[in-house]
Each structure stands twice: as structure tokens, then as C-alpha cells.
Amino acid sequence: MKYLITGANGQVGSQLVAQLQGKAKILATTSQTLDITNKHAVWQTVRDFRPNIIINAAAYTAVDKAESESDLAFAINELGAKHLAQAANEIRAAILHISTDYVFDGKGETPYRETDPVAPQNVYGKSKLAGEIAVQAACPRHIILRTAWVFNEHGNNFVKTMLRLGASRDSLGVVADQFGAPTYAGDIAAALIHIAEKIISKQSNQFGVYHFSGSPYVSWHDFASEIFAQAHAQNVLAQIPVLNAITTADYPTPASRPANSRLDCGKIQANFGIETSDWRKALLDLKDYV
């Protein structure tokens, strides 16, 4: 089986490469080796390699910067996704595309289902929604996997930021009125590979939009508290800094953040047998994060 993976040096992409190594033929690309905004480059690569599955883990993810770089965000998140989906459709491959909780407005009181109305509140979310629409239109054999609060041993993420700040500050404030579910990138990769294998073996043709995130739901403040507790217990931090709960209004950012990022993951469990991941287990070896 052959996989084309974009964004192979990102949080999810690097995990996909690691987990597929030795199990399948992989063409792992980065923005340096494949510019997905270049239609000719994408189509040439796909025609030459002829993958069974394309996993698009490439994305513009600088949420605040996107407010001033909307053209670039849309070029990568919409146009790039469209090129990959069109090329997949031409060779009868399936495309698995990663999206985000930011397609919702975050004003709901319950976890979002796949069928709930979308209403992104910032440029990043709008560009990712545009990418979803482009993929759906270009390739019927698609899986769109929305996830949230991704973290990993590598790359920029909340866990690594907290460990860095915790080592240099006696106290810090963390937002306590935004709720969601941290999601370990390795578990996202495993879910995507599981779905891909079902598609390749023709055990499933249940294409469409799915939600996958970790559990349990927490606030950013709760998440930080658990990170520090684990870091101290594992001797990664000598002492736990004082953690102050602040509001979204106390920490203004160029892009608005959803207050509710909780995703309902019942559909992926029902259709593919994939359980939500316990993000706490991914914090049990924090020395790899520093």
C-alpha cells in the first residue's frame, strides 16, 4: 500500500511517518519538497507516485498571524487541499484531510457534532472550512477529520510552552473560560491509519466528516495544572509555579478563540470503532517534551 503524506515534519505528519514506517510505502513531503499551492507540482507528484491514500497533514496553523496573512492561510488551507483532493480523485485514491474545531463559533453549550452548523470566527477557521468544502467538492472518497488542541513531543504546542514557562516563572496566568479536549498527535495519526486501512481493505466506504479528540474535556487552566503536576512528579520541573485562572478578556489576541471547542466523537466510534484518546496518558513521559 502506498501513502502520500503532506506536512510530514508537523505534529501529526511526523507521527504518521513514524507509525507507517516499515508497514507501507510512504512518500513523505514537507513544504520544502512539495508546494501544495502549486497545482502542477501536486498533480505531477500524485501521478508519479500513485498513492492509494493521500493524508493531508499540511496546514497553515498560525492562528493569530493568519489575521494579517489571510491570502497565505487560504492558499495553503483551501487551495492546497483542493489540489490534493482533485489529484486523488483523478487516480481514484482516497484523501484523508485534517481540519479543526475552529470551524465552529464556539458559542454552543454542548460538544459539537459533525452535523452542527459551522460559523468560524477567525481567518484560520474560515480558511480551514474553505478547505473542507473544497475537498468535499473535489473527491467523493474523502475523510475530513476535525480535531482540537493538538500536542506532541515535537513542534510548537501548549504542553511545550507550559513546560518552558514553568521552568522560568514563579507564576503565570492561563485562560480558564475556554473548554475543549487536548489531543495527542500520535493518537490522531493512529486514527487516520486505522481509517485508511479500512478503506484500502474495502472494509469501509463510510466517507465524510468525523470528529476525533481526546478526553476528558477541560479548560486550558485545567490542562496546564495537570501538565505541571505531572512535570513535578516526573522531576521535569523542580517546582510548580503558581497558576492563576484568567479570562479570555484578560488575554486578548488578534484572532478570537472559541469558548467551546468540545467535539462529540460518537460518529467515529460508531463507524470505525475508534475511541477518544486519554490525553493524560500522553503526559506520563514529559522528559521527551523538553
Side-chain angles (χ1 to χ4, degrees):
M1 294 297 103
K2 297 166 75 173
Y3 289 79
L4 170 61
I5 299 168
T6 63
N9 57 348
Q11 292 193 90
V12 178
S14 60
Q15 289 281 352
L16 284 165
V17 172
Q19 293 182 33
L20 284 169
Q21 208 71 51
K23 297 179 181 178
K25 189 171 182 179
I26 308 166
L27 178 58
T29 68
T30 67
S31 59
Q32 285 72 45
T33 59
L34 177 62
D35 177 5
I36 63 172
T37 69
N38 184 324
K39 181 176 181 177
H40 175 75
V42 169
W43 282 56
Q44 192 65 53
T45 298
V46 171
R47 284 169 176 164
D48 289 346
F49 185 62
R50 300 194 72 81
N52 303 96
I53 299 285
I54 295 174
I55 304 182
N56 183 27
Y60 181 105
T61 57
V63 176
D64 288 323
K65 210 171 177 183
E67 296 297 309
S68 59
E69 292 186 348
S70 61
D71 288 349
L72 182 58
F74 274 89
I76 296 170
N77 293 343
E78 178 186 19
L79 196 60
K82 178 181 179 180
H83 293 159
L84 289 163
Q86 287 175 331
N89 190 55
E90 188 197 51
I91 65 164
R92 296 289 297 158
I95 182 167
L96 279 55
H97 174 73
I98 301 170
S99 192
T100 174
D101 59 293
Y102 277 48
V103 299
F104 299 109
D105 64 14
K107 297 175 183 176
E109 298 296 326
T110 58
Y112 285 102
R113 295 182 178 180
E114 290 83 353
T115 52
D116 285 334
V118 290
Q121 298 296 295
N122 55 43
V123 170
Y124 167 70
K126 291 173 182 175
S127 70
K128 291 298 290 181
L129 177 58
E132 288 189 10
I133 294 168
V135 168
Q136 290 171 315
C139 184
R141 291 166 54 82
H142 66 262
I143 296 287
I144 292 169
L145 193 74
R146 294 175 181 150
T147 190
W149 294 20
V150 181
F151 70 97
N152 187 36
E153 294 89 344
H154 310 290
N156 298 317
N157 58 68
F158 186 78
V159 175
K160 298 192 76 171
T161 298
M162 287 300 102
L163 292 175
R164 175 173 52 81
L165 293 177
S168 60
R169 296 187 186 179
D170 295 326
S171 66
L172 67 155
V174 178
V175 172
D177 59 355
Q178 295 174 18
F179 295 87
T183 314
Y184 179 58
D187 293 333
I188 300 171
L192 287 165
I193 292 168
H194 178 82
I195 292 170
E197 289 173 344
K198 292 289 186 184
I199 292 170
I200 291 169
S201 63
K202 301 189 187 306
Q203 294 180 50
S204 176
N205 63 351
Q206 299 187 74
F207 297 103
V209 180
Y210 289 88
H211 290 172
F212 178 78
S213 66
S215 63
Y217 302 124
V218 287
S219 69
W220 287 113
H221 181 272
D222 297 331
F223 189 24
S225 180
E226 183 65 21
I227 292 166
F228 289 141
Q230 286 293 336
H232 186 256
Q234 297 170 39
N235 296 315
V236 172
L237 285 181
Q239 62 182 26
I240 298 175
V242 175
L243 195 58
N244 300 309
I246 64 173
T247 67
T248 300
D250 293 329
Y251 189 72
T253 56
S256 63
R257 262 63 171 182
N260 177 22
S261 284
R262 294 173 293 175
L263 298 176
D264 184 311
C265 301
K267 181 181 174 183
I268 200 169
Q269 180 179 349
N271 288 8
F272 289 102
I274 296 173
E275 303 283 346
T276 56
S277 66
D278 185 345
W279 54 265
R280 295 168 297 189
K281 291 181 180 178
L283 299 181
L284 295 179
D285 199 1
L286 286 174
K287 67 179 184 298
D288 291 334
Y289 289 78
V290 296

